[in-house]
Amino acid sequence: MAPVAAPLALLDVCMVTTTVATEDESRRLAQAVLHARLAACVQVEPITSHFRWQGALQEDREMRLACKTTGAAVPALIGLLRAQHPYALPQLVVQVLQASVEYAQWVHCEVVVPASEVQT
């Protein structure tokens, strides 16, 4: 009889994604997010976006930023991205993900929730 594997323990982390037009903009935003400690990690990748804008179909090369953070830090992270984003209407999408305990604990250790966002 084969040994039964222990159930995989998972914890929640959040991923906030946005897109920008250039590598320089993606680097600037990623550094701002990390400097503020609102995410533990920001992954940047090139993508092609297809969308309708002002009545016309568009196709643009963009850079997608995926910010790994905690639920408590999401409001402050969204606020920073809105304030520093070059787009008039930025994509700001939040997803709750399940991560390994070790990775989730690392995210929680690296992210600092601003005092103004802490609920008492």
Side-chain angles (χ1 to χ4, degrees), residues 70-99:
T70 64
V74 166
L77 176 55
I78 295 276
L80 181 146
L81 291 171
R82 276 192 177 126
Q84 296 194 21
H85 208 286
Y87 289 179
L89 178 62
Q91 168 196 295
L92 297 168
V93 176
V94 180
Q95 295 175 290
V96 178
L97 307 173
Q98 291 193 316

mmCIF file of all heavy atoms in Angstrom, residues 70-99:
data_model
loop_
_atom_site.group_PDB
_atom_site.id
_atom_site.type_symbol
_atom_site.label_atom_id
_atom_site.label_comp_id
_atom_site.label_asym_id
_atom_site.label_seq_id
_atom_site.Cartn_x
_atom_site.Cartn_y
_atom_site.Cartn_z
ATOM 1 N N THR A 70 -0.458 41.204 0.606
ATOM 2 C CA THR A 70 -1.417 40.701 1.588
ATOM 3 C C THR A 70 -2.749 41.417 1.395
ATOM 4 O O THR A 70 -2.799 42.524 0.854
ATOM 5 C CB THR A 70 -0.917 40.968 3.021
ATOM 6 O OG1 THR A 70 -0.855 42.382 3.240
ATOM 7 C CG2 THR A 70 0.447 40.349 3.253
ATOM 8 N N GLY A 71 -3.802 40.800 1.871
ATOM 9 C CA GLY A 71 -5.119 41.430 1.776
ATOM 10 C C GLY A 71 -5.162 42.775 2.481
ATOM 11 O O GLY A 71 -5.776 43.720 1.992
ATOM 12 N N ALA A 72 -4.485 42.877 3.617
ATOM 13 C CA ALA A 72 -4.493 44.127 4.378
ATOM 14 C C ALA A 72 -3.795 45.271 3.645
ATOM 15 O O ALA A 72 -4.121 46.443 3.855
ATOM 16 C CB ALA A 72 -3.836 43.911 5.741
ATOM 17 N N ALA A 73 -2.830 44.948 2.778
ATOM 18 C CA ALA A 73 -2.076 45.976 2.060
ATOM 19 C C ALA A 73 -2.712 46.384 0.738
ATOM 20 O O ALA A 73 -2.286 47.358 0.123
ATOM 21 C CB ALA A 73 -0.644 45.498 1.817
ATOM 22 N N VAL A 74 -3.733 45.655 0.284
ATOM 23 C CA VAL A 74 -4.330 45.934 -1.026
ATOM 24 C C VAL A 74 -4.817 47.386 -1.158
ATOM 25 O O VAL A 74 -4.517 48.042 -2.161
ATOM 26 C CB VAL A 74 -5.445 44.922 -1.373
ATOM 27 C CG1 VAL A 74 -6.289 45.395 -2.551
ATOM 28 C CG2 VAL A 74 -4.834 43.564 -1.672
ATOM 29 N N PRO A 75 -5.567 47.944 -0.198
ATOM 30 C CA PRO A 75 -6.030 49.326 -0.386
ATOM 31 C C PRO A 75 -4.887 50.327 -0.582
ATOM 32 O O PRO A 75 -4.961 51.193 -1.462
ATOM 33 C CB PRO A 75 -6.813 49.612 0.899
ATOM 34 C CG PRO A 75 -7.264 48.273 1.374
ATOM 35 C CD PRO A 75 -6.136 47.345 1.022
ATOM 36 N N ALA A 76 -3.824 50.208 0.203
ATOM 37 C CA ALA A 76 -2.691 51.125 0.066
ATOM 38 C C ALA A 76 -1.970 50.904 -1.264
ATOM 39 O O ALA A 76 -1.534 51.860 -1.916
ATOM 40 C CB ALA A 76 -1.729 50.960 1.235
ATOM 41 N N LEU A 77 -1.839 49.653 -1.680
ATOM 42 C CA LEU A 77 -1.190 49.342 -2.960
ATOM 43 C C LEU A 77 -1.996 49.920 -4.120
ATOM 44 O O LEU A 77 -1.428 50.548 -5.025
ATOM 45 C CB LEU A 77 -1.018 47.827 -3.107
ATOM 46 C CG LEU A 77 -0.440 47.331 -4.429
ATOM 47 C CD1 LEU A 77 0.890 47.985 -4.748
ATOM 48 C CD2 LEU A 77 -0.317 45.815 -4.405
ATOM 49 N N ILE A 78 -3.304 49.734 -4.101
ATOM 50 C CA ILE A 78 -4.162 50.309 -5.154
ATOM 51 C C ILE A 78 -4.018 51.832 -5.163
ATOM 52 O O ILE A 78 -3.925 52.449 -6.225
ATOM 53 C CB ILE A 78 -5.635 49.901 -4.937
ATOM 54 C CG1 ILE A 78 -5.800 48.392 -5.089
ATOM 55 C CG2 ILE A 78 -6.580 50.671 -5.851
ATOM 56 C CD1 ILE A 78 -5.977 47.863 -6.468
ATOM 57 N N GLY A 79 -3.987 52.440 -3.980
ATOM 58 C CA GLY A 79 -3.831 53.891 -3.893
ATOM 59 C C GLY A 79 -2.519 54.362 -4.508
ATOM 60 O O GLY A 79 -2.493 55.347 -5.260
ATOM 61 N N LEU A 80 -1.422 53.670 -4.210
ATOM 62 C CA LEU A 80 -0.126 54.032 -4.794
ATOM 63 C C LEU A 80 -0.154 53.874 -6.304
ATOM 64 O O LEU A 80 0.314 54.757 -7.041
ATOM 65 C CB LEU A 80 0.982 53.170 -4.188
ATOM 66 C CG LEU A 80 2.393 53.468 -4.686
ATOM 67 C CD1 LEU A 80 3.409 53.259 -3.570
ATOM 68 C CD2 LEU A 80 2.761 52.628 -5.882
ATOM 69 N N LEU A 81 -0.687 52.752 -6.790
ATOM 70 C CA LEU A 81 -0.735 52.525 -8.240
ATOM 71 C C LEU A 81 -1.584 53.583 -8.940
ATOM 72 O O LEU A 81 -1.195 54.087 -9.995
ATOM 73 C CB LEU A 81 -1.255 51.114 -8.547
ATOM 74 C CG LEU A 81 -0.315 49.968 -8.150
ATOM 75 C CD1 LEU A 81 -1.016 48.624 -8.303
ATOM 76 C CD2 LEU A 81 0.980 50.010 -8.951
ATOM 77 N N ARG A 82 -2.732 53.925 -8.360
ATOM 78 C CA ARG A 82 -3.570 54.980 -8.957
ATOM 79 C C ARG A 82 -2.823 56.308 -9.026
ATOM 80 O O ARG A 82 -2.882 57.024 -10.017
ATOM 81 C CB ARG A 82 -4.843 55.170 -8.143
ATOM 82 C CG ARG A 82 -5.943 54.235 -8.475
ATOM 83 C CD ARG A 82 -7.251 54.675 -7.832
ATOM 84 N NE ARG A 82 -8.309 53.784 -8.220
ATOM 85 C CZ ARG A 82 -9.099 53.145 -7.373
ATOM 86 N NH1 ARG A 82 -8.977 53.322 -6.071
ATOM 87 N NH2 ARG A 82 -10.031 52.341 -7.825
ATOM 88 N N ALA A 83 -2.152 56.656 -7.937
ATOM 89 C CA ALA A 83 -1.457 57.941 -7.853
ATOM 90 C C ALA A 83 -0.280 58.041 -8.822
ATOM 91 O O ALA A 83 0.013 59.126 -9.330
ATOM 92 C CB ALA A 83 -0.972 58.181 -6.425
ATOM 93 N N GLN A 84 0.384 56.919 -9.097
ATOM 94 C CA GLN A 84 1.603 56.971 -9.907
ATOM 95 C C GLN A 84 1.451 56.376 -11.301
ATOM 96 O O GLN A 84 2.403 56.343 -12.072
ATOM 97 C CB GLN A 84 2.738 56.260 -9.158
ATOM 98 C CG GLN A 84 3.083 56.958 -7.865
ATOM 99 C CD GLN A 84 4.396 56.485 -7.294
ATOM 100 O OE1 GLN A 84 5.250 55.938 -7.982
ATOM 101 N NE2 GLN A 84 4.586 56.708 -6.013
ATOM 102 N N HIS A 85 0.254 55.930 -11.635
ATOM 103 C CA HIS A 85 0.046 55.251 -12.921
ATOM 104 C C HIS A 85 -0.012 56.259 -14.061
ATOM 105 O O HIS A 85 -0.644 57.300 -13.942
ATOM 106 C CB HIS A 85 -1.249 54.428 -12.890
ATOM 107 C CG HIS A 85 -1.199 53.259 -13.793
ATOM 108 N ND1 HIS A 85 -1.283 53.376 -15.167
ATOM 109 C CD2 HIS A 85 -1.050 51.933 -13.530
ATOM 110 C CE1 HIS A 85 -1.194 52.180 -15.711
ATOM 111 N NE2 HIS A 85 -1.057 51.287 -14.732
ATOM 112 N N PRO A 86 0.627 55.940 -15.197
ATOM 113 C CA PRO A 86 0.603 56.861 -16.333
ATOM 114 C C PRO A 86 -0.698 56.832 -17.142
ATOM 115 O O PRO A 86 -0.947 57.738 -17.933
ATOM 116 C CB PRO A 86 1.783 56.397 -17.198
ATOM 117 C CG PRO A 86 1.934 54.948 -16.871
ATOM 118 C CD PRO A 86 1.533 54.811 -15.427
ATOM 119 N N TYR A 87 -1.537 55.809 -16.970
ATOM 120 C CA TYR A 87 -2.765 55.707 -17.754
ATOM 121 C C TYR A 87 -3.901 56.500 -17.100
ATOM 122 O O TYR A 87 -4.004 56.545 -15.874
ATOM 123 C CB TYR A 87 -3.228 54.256 -17.878
ATOM 124 C CG TYR A 87 -2.390 53.353 -18.766
ATOM 125 C CD1 TYR A 87 -2.734 52.024 -18.908
ATOM 126 C CD2 TYR A 87 -1.275 53.812 -19.450
ATOM 127 C CE1 TYR A 87 -1.996 51.162 -19.708
ATOM 128 C CE2 TYR A 87 -0.531 52.961 -20.252
ATOM 129 C CZ TYR A 87 -0.895 51.640 -20.378
ATOM 130 O OH TYR A 87 -0.169 50.796 -21.171
ATOM 131 N N ALA A 88 -4.792 57.033 -17.936
ATOM 132 C CA ALA A 88 -5.994 57.704 -17.439
ATOM 133 C C ALA A 88 -6.938 56.701 -16.781
ATOM 134 O O ALA A 88 -7.611 57.015 -15.801
ATOM 135 C CB ALA A 88 -6.711 58.423 -18.584
ATOM 136 N N LEU A 89 -6.984 55.489 -17.311
ATOM 137 C CA LEU A 89 -7.840 54.426 -16.768
ATOM 138 C C LEU A 89 -6.994 53.158 -16.619
ATOM 139 O O LEU A 89 -6.982 52.297 -17.500
ATOM 140 C CB LEU A 89 -9.035 54.168 -17.695
ATOM 141 C CG LEU A 89 -9.985 53.051 -17.273
ATOM 142 C CD1 LEU A 89 -10.637 53.363 -15.928
ATOM 143 C CD2 LEU A 89 -11.046 52.836 -18.336
ATOM 144 N N PRO A 90 -6.268 53.040 -15.511
ATOM 145 C CA PRO A 90 -5.409 51.867 -15.354
ATOM 146 C C PRO A 90 -6.193 50.611 -15.019
ATOM 147 O O PRO A 90 -7.234 50.673 -14.359
ATOM 148 C CB PRO A 90 -4.496 52.254 -14.181
ATOM 149 C CG PRO A 90 -5.279 53.242 -13.401
ATOM 150 C CD PRO A 90 -6.135 53.984 -14.402
ATOM 151 N N GLN A 91 -5.686 49.489 -15.495
ATOM 152 C CA GLN A 91 -6.209 48.190 -15.072
ATOM 153 C C GLN A 91 -5.697 47.954 -13.661
ATOM 154 O O GLN A 91 -4.494 47.959 -13.418
ATOM 155 C CB GLN A 91 -5.686 47.080 -15.980
ATOM 156 C CG GLN A 91 -5.966 45.692 -15.413
ATOM 157 C CD GLN A 91 -5.147 44.627 -16.079
ATOM 158 O OE1 GLN A 91 -5.307 44.361 -17.246
ATOM 159 N NE2 GLN A 91 -4.254 44.008 -15.322
ATOM 160 N N LEU A 92 -6.613 47.761 -12.733
ATOM 161 C CA LEU A 92 -6.257 47.406 -11.356
ATOM 162 C C LEU A 92 -7.149 46.234 -10.973
ATOM 163 O O LEU A 92 -8.339 46.409 -10.710
ATOM 164 C CB LEU A 92 -6.458 48.591 -10.412
ATOM 165 C CG LEU A 92 -5.573 49.801 -10.701
ATOM 166 C CD1 LEU A 92 -6.042 51.014 -9.926
ATOM 167 C CD2 LEU A 92 -4.112 49.484 -10.406
ATOM 168 N N VAL A 93 -6.583 45.034 -11.000
ATOM 169 C CA VAL A 93 -7.341 43.810 -10.760
ATOM 170 C C VAL A 93 -6.736 43.101 -9.552
ATOM 171 O O VAL A 93 -5.516 42.935 -9.469
ATOM 172 C CB VAL A 93 -7.301 42.886 -11.997
ATOM 173 C CG1 VAL A 93 -8.004 41.571 -11.718
ATOM 174 C CG2 VAL A 93 -7.920 43.583 -13.198
ATOM 175 N N VAL A 94 -7.596 42.691 -8.633
ATOM 176 C CA VAL A 94 -7.158 41.993 -7.425
ATOM 177 C C VAL A 94 -7.672 40.562 -7.462
ATOM 178 O O VAL A 94 -8.859 40.333 -7.700
ATOM 179 C CB VAL A 94 -7.677 42.696 -6.148
ATOM 180 C CG1 VAL A 94 -7.220 41.953 -4.900
ATOM 181 C CG2 VAL A 94 -7.244 44.152 -6.122
ATOM 182 N N GLN A 95 -6.769 39.618 -7.232
ATOM 183 C CA GLN A 95 -7.131 38.208 -7.146
ATOM 184 C C GLN A 95 -6.612 37.649 -5.827
ATOM 185 O O GLN A 95 -5.482 37.967 -5.429
ATOM 186 C CB GLN A 95 -6.494 37.406 -8.281
ATOM 187 C CG GLN A 95 -6.991 37.778 -9.665
ATOM 188 C CD GLN A 95 -6.211 37.030 -10.724
ATOM 189 O OE1 GLN A 95 -5.052 37.303 -10.943
ATOM 190 N NE2 GLN A 95 -6.866 36.075 -11.368
ATOM 191 N N VAL A 96 -7.426 36.835 -5.189
ATOM 192 C CA VAL A 96 -6.970 36.110 -4.007
ATOM 193 C C VAL A 96 -6.461 34.762 -4.490
ATOM 194 O O VAL A 96 -7.167 34.035 -5.199
ATOM 195 C CB VAL A 96 -8.101 35.947 -2.974
ATOM 196 C CG1 VAL A 96 -7.610 35.136 -1.777
ATOM 197 C CG2 VAL A 96 -8.618 37.310 -2.527
ATOM 198 N N LEU A 97 -5.221 34.437 -4.113
ATOM 199 C CA LEU A 97 -4.578 33.203 -4.535
ATOM 200 C C LEU A 97 -4.243 32.359 -3.325
ATOM 201 O O LEU A 97 -4.076 32.881 -2.216
ATOM 202 C CB LEU A 97 -3.274 33.517 -5.279
ATOM 203 C CG LEU A 97 -3.355 34.491 -6.450
ATOM 204 C CD1 LEU A 97 -1.960 34.804 -6.957
ATOM 205 C CD2 LEU A 97 -4.218 33.920 -7.556
ATOM 206 N N GLN A 98 -4.111 31.082 -3.528
ATOM 207 C CA GLN A 98 -3.645 30.203 -2.467
ATOM 208 C C GLN A 98 -2.202 29.830 -2.762
ATOM 209 O O GLN A 98 -1.876 29.396 -3.873
ATOM 210 C CB GLN A 98 -4.520 28.965 -2.364
ATOM 211 C CG GLN A 98 -5.911 29.295 -1.853
ATOM 212 C CD GLN A 98 -6.651 28.047 -1.470
ATOM 213 O OE1 GLN A 98 -6.632 27.066 -2.182
ATOM 214 N NE2 GLN A 98 -7.311 28.098 -0.324
ATOM 215 N N ALA A 99 -1.352 30.022 -1.756
ATOM 216 C CA ALA A 99 0.076 29.783 -1.918
ATOM 217 C C ALA A 99 0.551 28.802 -0.857
ATOM 218 O O ALA A 99 -0.106 28.604 0.172
ATOM 219 C CB ALA A 99 0.833 31.103 -1.778
#
